[in-house]
C-alpha cells in the first residue's frame, strides 16, 4: 500500500501513517513499516517539503503562507516547514505574484481601479502572499497597465 501511494507522488511520513491507520493498521505496525521506509530513504520529510514548495510555487504560483499551511496540513514538522520556506527566493515570489496579476488583468472586464485593486489583492491573499507584497505588486501592475487603483473621493480605501 505504501509503495502504491509513493508511486503516485512523494508523501510525508504523516500522510502515509494516516493512510495506514485508515486501512486498519495498528499504530505500532504503521510506525514500524514507516520506520523501514525512512531507513531505506524512501520517505524523507525534508526532501518532500523542499520538493513540495518548489513545485507548488512554480506550478500553482502559491506564496509562502499558503505553502506553509499545506505542509503543516500534511504533517510536516515546523522546523522542516521553515527550512523549506527559506528556500523560496523573494524575487521568484514577486515574479509569480506579478504573473498572476497580469493573467487576471488580461481576463477582466472591469476598468474601475479600486475594484480591480480589491479583487487582485484578494486573489493574491488567497494564494498566500503577504499583504504588503500583494498591495505593492498590484499597484505597480495597475500603473503599468494604465489603470488608477486609488479610491475616488468619497470612497473608502
Amino acid at each position: 500500500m505504501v509503495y502504491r501511494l509513493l508511486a503516485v507522488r512523494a508523501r510525508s511520513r504523516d500522510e502515509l501513517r494516516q493512510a495506514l491507520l485508515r486501512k486498519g493498521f495498528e499504530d505500532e505496525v504503521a510506525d514500524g513499516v514507516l520506520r523501514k521506509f525512512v531507513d531505506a530513504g524512501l520517505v524523507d520529510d525534508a526532501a518532500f517539503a523542499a520538493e513540495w514548495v518548489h513545485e507548488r510555487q512554480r506550478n500553482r504560483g502559491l506564496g509562502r503562507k499558503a505553502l506553509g499551511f499545506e505542509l503543516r496540513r500534511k504533517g510536516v514538522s515546523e522546523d522542516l516547514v521553515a527550512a523549506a520556506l527559506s528556500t523560496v527566493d523573494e524575487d521568484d515570489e514577486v515574479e509569480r505574484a506579478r504573473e498572476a496579476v497580469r493573467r487576471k488583468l488580461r481576463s477582466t472586464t472591469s476598468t474601475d481601479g479600486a475594484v480591480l485593486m480589491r479583487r487582485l489583492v484578494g486573489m493574491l491573499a488567497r494564494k498566500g502572499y503577504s499583504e504588503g507584497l500583494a498591495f505593492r505588486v498590484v499597484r505597480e501592475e495597475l500603473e503599468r497597465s494604465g489603470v488608477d487603483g486609488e479610491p475616488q473621493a468619497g470612497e473608502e480605501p
Side-chain angles (χ1 to χ4, degrees):
M1 176 183 166
V2 174
Y3 284 119
R4 269 186 297 132
L5 291 171
L6 290 173
V8 175
R9 68 166 173 83
R11 296 180 191 268
S12 71
R13 185 181 186 287
D14 191 60
E15 281 182 291
L16 294 170
R17 186 175 191 282
Q18 295 304 319
L20 289 171
L21 294 177
R22 278 193 305 274
K23 286 292 186 179
F25 288 88
E26 294 182 18
D27 286 347
E28 301 81 32
V29 173
D31 289 337
V33 167
L34 291 174
R35 196 171 313 109
K36 290 179 181 182
F37 276 85
V38 169
D39 291 345
L42 296 173
V43 175
D44 179 355
D45 278 358
F48 167 76
E51 183 63 24
W52 186 266
V53 164
H54 176 74
E55 288 298 316
R56 299 289 282 185
Q57 185 192 26
R58 184 170 49 102
N59 294 332
R60 300 278 311 250
L62 297 180
R64 291 175 205 240
K65 287 180 186 177
L67 293 167
F69 176 78
E70 288 184 348
L71 288 173
R72 286 181 198 93
R73 195 181 63 206
K74 293 188 173 300
V76 176
S77 68
E78 196 59 43
D79 58 325
L80 294 179
V81 170
L85 292 178
S86 72
T87 65
V88 174
D89 182 60
E90 189 172 330
D91 293 338
D92 285 344
E93 189 175 31
V94 169
E95 188 54 36
R96 295 285 178 249
R98 285 187 194 291
E99 290 170 3
V101 169
R102 288 174 186 157
R103 256 192 324 275
K104 191 69 168 176
L105 278 172
R106 281 193 300 267
S107 67
T108 192
T109 57
S110 177
T111 57
D112 183 347
V115 169
L116 284 172
M117 172 69 84
R118 187 174 58 249
R119 288 180 182 169
L120 293 170
V121 168
M123 174 197 64
L124 291 179
R126 287 186 298 279
K127 286 184 166 276
Y129 291 94
S130 70
E131 186 178 309
L133 183 136
F135 274 109
R136 179 173 52 101
V137 167
V138 169
R139 185 174 42 254
E140 290 170 0
E141 290 303 313
L142 287 177
E143 286 173 5
R144 187 173 99 28
S145 67
V147 177
D148 180 19
E150 297 300 318
Q152 302 300 319
E155 291 183 14
E156 291 188 33

